[in-house]
Amino acid sequence: MEQEKNNNTNLGFESLDVLIARWKDGTFSEIIDDWKWIFSYSARYKGAILFYTILGIFSTSMGLVSSVASKYLIDIITGYKTSKLLVLILVMVGSSAFSLAFNSIISRISTKLSIRINNDIQADIFDKIVDADWMALNGYSNGDVLNRFNGDIGTVSGNAISWLPSIVIAIYNFIATFIVILHYDWIMALIAFASAPFMLLMSRVMIKKQREYNKKVREMSSNLMSFEVEAFYNFDTIKSFGVAPYYSKKMRWWQEQFKDISLKYNLFSIKTNIVLSVMGMMVQFLSFGYCLFRLWTHDISYGTMTLFLQQRGNLSSAFSSVVSIIPSFLNSSVSAHRIRELVELPKEVHIPESNELDELAEDGFSVRMRDVNFSYVEGKRVITDSEFVANPGEIVALVGPSGEGKTTMIRLILGLIRPESGQSLMIASNGKEVAMNADTRHLFAYVPQGNTILSGTIAENMRMVKEDATDEEIIEALKISCAWDFVQRMPETINSRIGERGRGFSEGQAQRIAIARAVLRDAPVLLLDEATSALDVTTERQVLRNIIQQRPNKTCIVTTHRPSVLNLCQRVYRVMETHVTELSEEESSRMAMDF
């Protein structure tokens, strides 16, 4: 505990150096901006913060009253003066009880407020992340976003409420404790005051090495965890290739590395603790020796001596608390800055007039692109001067080699990305045209590549897109996607549970459930991005026929490597060498026959 306190105060001292450096180089204003952002959330709870502060000050005061009362109690007992014994016992017990009660209340209030503000910030940030521009958000890895969303928000929420009260309470505790000691003996007050910064300055030289070890341990722990996650995620592959012994050997190698660095850190910590403890004992012996001298000369009583020794430790702790606030201040600023980077990402484009299309949904919509150009990276064109059209009642295919731009076309259609030039439009039956944007997306049902089944029941997976869907509607959607054939044979049919990532189902079965979910949404436009790749040819064709029959005015767009359904399509577009080209009937037929 003593070592941890010393480490915290040293970190606070180094953090103070950081603050001074930031002030000199002109970047301190960034920290202020970060904290202004944090306080924008704290302001919603200003009444609770004030209450928290008052409770903290009162609790500290009761602790000091209890210490002073214990001094007089000792003096009464050692002096055999019992006239005020009962009163002092009541004061000491009462103040201690009050202090304990208020500390408990503070802890409870702090936890409640921290959870509330954490949820408040998370909900707000989640909404902003969801509404962030797709291109801008994809500049961050999923792990980084998740780390910021959980770790950084947790840091901010933990300090947003407690940081200001902690400053006030810590400073009040330090000043009040110093005044109590000073009231009885100014020399003892000076010794108590000097002890904490003395230890701080002496141990500062050790903290750099300790932080280096701590960093290495954390990095090694992360490496070990990454290996574990990757191994378990690819467990089927490891077993299939028969390379389990290799991974077992590698696991033990990582464990050995982690053990070595942990033991080195442990040895250094022991040495550091010895040095700091020796310095602490020297200051303690100095205080104790001074108190014994004063007691021997009859200048102080036993109670006063006890008070001095107790409050010397309290003053040192109070000093450490004040200094350790600075790292929290900086850590919260860093976390707030990382969160603000996500919050300040460009937002998706919203076109309000998109809502006017809803009343025309029954007639279906045409999806059209005109002279579209698009690049993810400047100077590297993915789509060039391309045209595309899909009308209600049609199945339109996008074919071409992998990586040529089929999925990019889907993103353009969904309005996740916008053309550099040209137009990507949704056209209603009355001729109204609206550029693809975030507000047209609810008119689409989308089945992306890969396994998109979540753990839970089949019905829960289906109701993701339509919360109030009846069992009958779910079963009908499963029939259209040819999934009811195997679902009806399950013990609990649609209430049967699915494992993580569709575990328990074949890839083809998982695809059919995903397609059924899109069918249940019953949107005017259906996008299938390689969504039938695991189906046999007969099932693939049957599913597409069923979808068109469900709603004759539905627009169906399919991307595929497999030309097996091309004879069902009204138009086929080939994506190759950045160009989207409509194939003639002969080319489409020849491609289907070649398959």
Side-chain angles (χ1 to χ4, degrees):
M1 183 63 71
E2 185 70 23
Q3 182 188 11
E4 182 180 352
K5 181 181 72 177
N6 290 327
N7 290 345
N8 288 338
T9 53
N10 278 278
L11 287 172
F13 198 87
E14 288 197 345
S15 298
L16 184 60
D17 289 344
V18 173
L19 286 178
I20 295 172
R22 295 290 291 271
W23 181 275
K24 290 179 179 179
D25 64 20
T27 59
F28 186 77
S29 59
E30 294 179 5
I31 298 178
I32 299 301
D33 289 339
D34 292 330
W35 268 96
K36 284 180 180 178
W37 181 83
I38 293 174
F39 283 139
S40 69
Y41 287 96
S42 303
R44 305 175 189 180
Y45 304 95
K46 53 182 177 290
I49 292 175
L50 179 61
F51 183 59
Y52 178 91
T53 304
I54 293 172
L55 282 180
I57 291 174
F58 191 75
S59 176
T60 300
S61 301
M62 289 298 99
L64 287 172
V65 170
S66 177
S67 297
V68 174
S70 66
K71 165 213 169 337
Y72 287 104
L73 181 62
I74 293 173
D75 287 342
I76 287 172
I77 293 174
T78 55
Y80 301 101
K81 299 176 181 179
T82 59
S83 58
K84 297 181 180 179
L85 179 60
L86 181 61
V87 174
L88 285 172
I89 289 176
L90 291 175
V91 169
M92 187 176 71
V93 173
S95 59
S96 298
F98 269 117
S99 179
L100 177 62
F102 279 115
N103 282 333
S104 300
I105 293 172
I106 288 171
S107 176
R108 181 68 173 173
I109 292 174
S110 177
T111 301
K112 281 187 174 181
L113 290 176
S114 181
I115 292 173
R116 284 176 62 186
I117 197 168
N118 183 77
N119 291 344
D120 191 8
I121 297 175
Q122 272 197 331
D124 190 35
I125 301 307
F126 182 82
D127 291 340
K128 289 180 169 63
I129 291 175
V130 169
D131 194 42
D133 177 76
W134 185 90
M135 289 280 287
L137 186 60
N138 272 268
Y140 299 84
S141 68
N142 291 335
D144 187 25
V145 172
L146 191 60
N147 188 28
R148 295 177 190 228
F149 186 72
N150 287 314
D152 289 314
I153 288 179
T155 299
V156 169
S157 63
N159 289 295
I161 293 296
S162 63
W163 192 79
L164 186 58
S166 295
I167 291 178
V168 176
I169 295 169
I171 292 175
Y172 172 79
N173 186 24
F174 180 80
I175 294 174
T177 303
F178 181 76
I179 290 174
V180 168
I181 300 176
L182 184 65
H183 174 73
Y184 291 98
D185 191 301
W186 69 270
I187 295 178
M188 186 63 200
L190 185 62
I191 294 174
F193 179 80
S195 62
F198 174 75
M199 291 186 65
L200 186 66
L201 291 171
M202 288 297 294
S203 60
R204 183 184 176 190
V205 295
M206 305 177 190
I207 199 65
K208 182 177 179 181
K209 188 72 173 177
Q210 191 169 24
R211 292 185 70 180
E212 288 176 358
Y213 272 118
N214 188 42
K215 182 181 178 182
K216 289 178 181 179
V217 169
R218 288 177 179 271
E219 288 176 350
M220 189 60 66
S221 178
S222 295
N223 290 335
L224 179 59
M225 183 174 291
S226 296
F227 169 79
E228 292 167 351
V229 170
E230 186 178 61
F232 284 115
Y233 186 83
N234 295 291
F235 206 58
D236 290 347
T237 303
I238 292 171
K239 291 176 71 68
S240 299
F241 278 100
V243 293
Y246 167 78
Y247 271 82
S248 295
K249 182 179 178 181
K250 197 170 182 180
M251 175 71 181
R252 285 164 176 76
W253 183 85
W254 278 114
Q255 287 178 324
E256 193 67 22
Q257 299 300 308
F258 182 73
K259 183 197 76 173
D260 290 344
I261 191 65
S262 296
L263 289 177
K264 288 179 181 178
Y265 180 40
N266 174 256
L267 181 60
F268 176 78
S269 297
I270 291 173
K271 293 178 180 178
T272 302
N273 188 44
I274 292 173
V275 174
L276 294 177
S277 296
V278 169
M279 289 192 296
M281 285 189 290
M282 290 174 61
V283 175
Q284 185 177 357
F285 288 155
L286 177 63
S287 301
F288 188 64
Y290 175 76
C291 288
L292 287 177
F293 172 76
R294 297 280 286 167
L295 186 65
W296 180 56
T297 58
H298 303 289
D299 292 325
I300 62 173
S301 64
Y302 285 106
T304 304
M305 176 180 174
T306 302
L307 178 67
F308 282 169
L309 295 177
Q310 182 185 49
Q311 294 308 310
R312 185 208 67 80
N314 188 29
L315 189 69
S316 178
S317 297
F319 181 83
S320 299
S321 297
V322 172
V323 176
S324 63
I325 288 171
I326 300 175
S328 296
F329 176 80
L330 285 175
N331 289 339
S332 294
S333 170
V334 171
S335 291
H337 195 80
R338 283 164 52 83
I339 299 168
R340 287 176 62 203
E341 285 183 354
L342 297 181
V343 172
E344 293 169 3
L345 290 175
K347 303 305 175 190
E348 287 200 286
V349 175
H350 293 266
I351 302 177
E353 63 185 277
S354 302
N355 296 326
E356 298 174 11
L357 297 175
D358 290 357
E359 59 190 30
L360 302 170
E362 285 297 324
D363 297 331
F365 299 101
S366 293
V367 174
R368 181 178 292 273
M369 292 187 183
R370 297 175 182 149
D371 300 320
V372 167
N373 290 280
F374 178 79
S375 303
Y376 290 106
V377 180
E378 186 176 354
K380 191 174 181 180
R381 191 64 58 80
V382 179
I383 303 294
T384 304
D385 298 329
S386 295
E387 305 277 341
F388 176 84
V389 63
N391 296 315
E394 295 182 339
I395 301 176
V396 177
L398 283 165
V399 299
S402 178
E404 288 289 334
K406 297 188 299 297
T407 299
T408 298
M409 288 288 290
I410 292 293
R411 290 171 183 159
L412 286 164
I413 292 170
L414 286 169
L416 292 170
I417 54 180
R418 296 173 64 80
E420 294 174 3
S421 62
Q423 296 175 299
S424 178
L425 303 167
M426 178 167 276
I427 305 174
S429 56
N430 64 357
K432 182 176 181 60
E433 298 183 351
V434 176
M436 298 298 185
N437 67 95
D439 294 331
T440 57
R441 213 168 292 147
H442 71 283
L443 299 171
F444 290 82
Y446 174 45
V447 184
Q449 297 181 34
N451 192 324
T452 59
I453 303 300
L454 306 178
S455 59
T457 66
I458 294 173
E460 287 170 346
N461 267 271
M462 298 288 286
R463 289 193 173 103
M464 282 173 53
V465 298
K466 189 178 181 181
E467 292 183 23
D468 59 349
T470 65
D471 289 355
E472 290 73 19
E473 289 175 319
I474 291 174
I475 291 172
E476 180 60 27
L478 290 168
K479 288 179 179 178
I480 290 173
S481 70
C482 297
W484 181 242
D485 293 344
F486 65 87
V487 172
Q488 68 177 334
R489 294 195 297 270
M490 300 180 71
E492 298 181 66
T493 61
I494 63 172
N495 294 312
S496 299
R497 297 198 65 81
I498 305 175
E500 184 181 357
R501 298 175 65 240
R503 182 169 296 173
F505 290 103
S506 68
E507 188 176 349
Q509 289 174 329
Q511 278 192 345
R512 279 182 274 178
I513 291 175
I515 293 171
R517 187 167 55 195
V519 169
L520 181 64
R521 184 176 174 90
D522 196 24
V525 183
L526 176 65
L527 300 179
L528 302 176
D529 189 6
E530 302 285 356
T532 60
S533 59
L535 305 184
D536 59 80
V537 174
T538 302
T539 303
E540 183 180 44
R541 291 178 176 177
Q542 186 61 51
V543 168
L544 293 174
R545 288 194 188 98
N546 291 347
I547 289 171
I548 291 300
Q549 290 171 2
Q550 177 205 22
R551 178 187 278 194
N553 290 325
K554 188 184 293 289
T555 304
C556 185
I557 302 171
V558 181
T559 72
T560 181
H561 285 95
R562 299 166 50 181
S564 55
V565 295
L566 298 188
N567 53 11
L568 292 177
C569 300
Q570 280 67 39
R571 269 183 306 284
V572 177
Y573 290 86
R574 179 170 55 199
V575 185
M576 186 178 290
E577 297 179 353
T578 78
H579 290 276
V580 181
T581 308
E582 183 178 358
L583 300 181
S584 65
E585 290 187 14
E586 285 186 18
E587 290 174 313
S588 298
S589 299
R590 187 165 55 251
M591 186 177 291
M593 290 176 65
D594 290 342
F595 176 79

